[in-house]
Amino acid sequence: MSDILLRVNDLCVSFTTRNEEFEAVRGVSFELKKGEVLGIVGESGSGKSVTARSIMRLLPSPPSYLKRGIIEFQGQDLSLKTEKEMEAIRGKEIGMIFQDPMTSLNPTIRIGKQISESLIKHAGISKGEAKQEAIKLLSRVGIKNSETRYHQYPHEFSGGMRQRVMIAIALACKPSLLIADEPTTALDVTIQAQILELMKDMKKQLDTSIILITHDLGVVAGMCDRVVVMKEGKIVESGKTIDIFENPQHAYTKKLLNALPRLDKKKKPKRPPHVKTGVDSTMPLLQVNSLSKHFENGNGVLTKAVDDISFHILPGETLGLVGESGSGKSTTGRSILRLSEPSAGEILYQGIAVDRLTLKEMKMMRRHMQIIFQDPYSSLNPRFKVADIIGQALDIHKLSKSKTERRERVEELLELVGLEPSHAMRYPHEFSGGQRQRIGIARALAVEPDFIVCDEPLSALDVSIQTQIVELLEDLQYRLGLSYLFIAHDLSMVKHISDRVAVMYAGKIVELAESEELYNNPLHPYTKSLLSAIPIPDPRVEANKQRWREEDRVSTDRYHVRNSKLVEVTAGHWVAQVAE
């Protein structure tokens, strides 16, 4: 009996538009063995997700269609199946975890019912039995109080919890094949580690084969037996994970591997920035003292999003601000710029009390303090051309005397961030994600600021584009003497761009140190948990980390004393300070 579960041969998928046909997947072939984890990697637009959806027969038709190819699952060609026959296979034989759990879950249906539906349809059990099985599944994927959670709606769950629900749905009928399409892209590093650990456990318990689609090579190193590298709809390289990482053959694979920052590698020396004339580089450009921001819900209960934090940033310095979603990072950045009014504390910019300025004075202060937003698409007006998106800041602050001067300044800014002057007459939807982020940077630079809040500017980008944006920010800092508050949850990238790093947890800064010092000698248990959760793009390192986790779970109790503090251990990570 063959041990090949899935065989894809010469798969070609096209999309038709009004004027032309675009081939998204071109001649893709690969095999997946029973109990194996296959990673499909590549940048956005490489054809990864289209390949996965073709296996599930979930592509929209039209505009897409299967041009040719064979998708053989358990000896049956799925490309020849009717829609009714595929409905019997989806969920029961092949499960899928989609990239964005919020858009994949029905917001009007309770979580428990969404899990039960698959069990009732494919397992042929009663509603009562399906409910009990769904509750067990919720517990199995690490959701506490599963009986209560069963009756809740998707919006009542965090991003990580919603992804766990998606896994529960995908695994409900114990499928032979699980397709995970970027299952951890939008998650914090600690939640990502928990989801990957859960998938590993499910693979061991159910002997499930997994296709993992991702652009994170660190995740691939820790999860996959074999790797397929895709570029522009084609497979450019494939092989065992260890061989791909240690001896890549294709130039594109080498580019992907070289683009990913390594947490276990020393950062490159930074060029001293050109601090502006008359500025004392030893005196803080920005001083934040006891900053707090509280939100009140409808019941009058206060939530301390930012709770009594203090730090400073020197001219030409980058301070990294890291932590999980909800830790208060973005609220801190927005409070400094008074895009969200602080509840208490003092914000001094070059000695000026920003928190005491009138709205008119604050408008003038924003010439010196700017922000780059997380999602470049939603922060750019889709109805404006790039010339007006960037030029608007020049108009507000009266920085151009004529239309000609305005146009020349916009073109100069586009060239400064690596775009063409001709791009000024295009709309945001005509650009890639990386190009849109460059437009956002150009807009922030238009008023010639000294300080920029970079609020998760890399989270929506591929790894090679992330590297380009970081190099651009560093080059601009060197040439213009800029200071950055660099907010992110990707600690690998933060290490390489930051001079110092502050770690936030539950609204407080729990640790602040020089970049290398923090990564080499973390003191707080939460910092250690963040660092230990980051996947390293090296299969041998990840294998050693996995062995440590398993040994730790076997040889230790639930609680340990470290640095005279009692901390709880979950999946080998120091995750929560429980008591003194």
Side-chain angles (χ1 to χ4, degrees), residues 55 77 121 149 174 189 196 204 213 316 418 425 480 544:
I55 295 169
D77 189 352
K121 181 175 181 178
R149 290 289 201 173
K174 302 179 182 177
V189 64
L196 295 176
K204 287 180 182 177
I213 298 168
M425 301 313 294
L480 306 177
N544 287 334

Side-chain angles (χ1 to χ4, degrees), residues 84 135 178 190 194 206-207 307 339 403 415 476 576-577:
K84 189 172 182 179
I135 291 171
L178 177 65
T190 49
Q194 292 170 22
L206 304 175
D207 196 30
D307 188 15
L339 297 174
K403 288 183 178 179
E415 289 182 323
L476 291 171
Q577 182 176 322

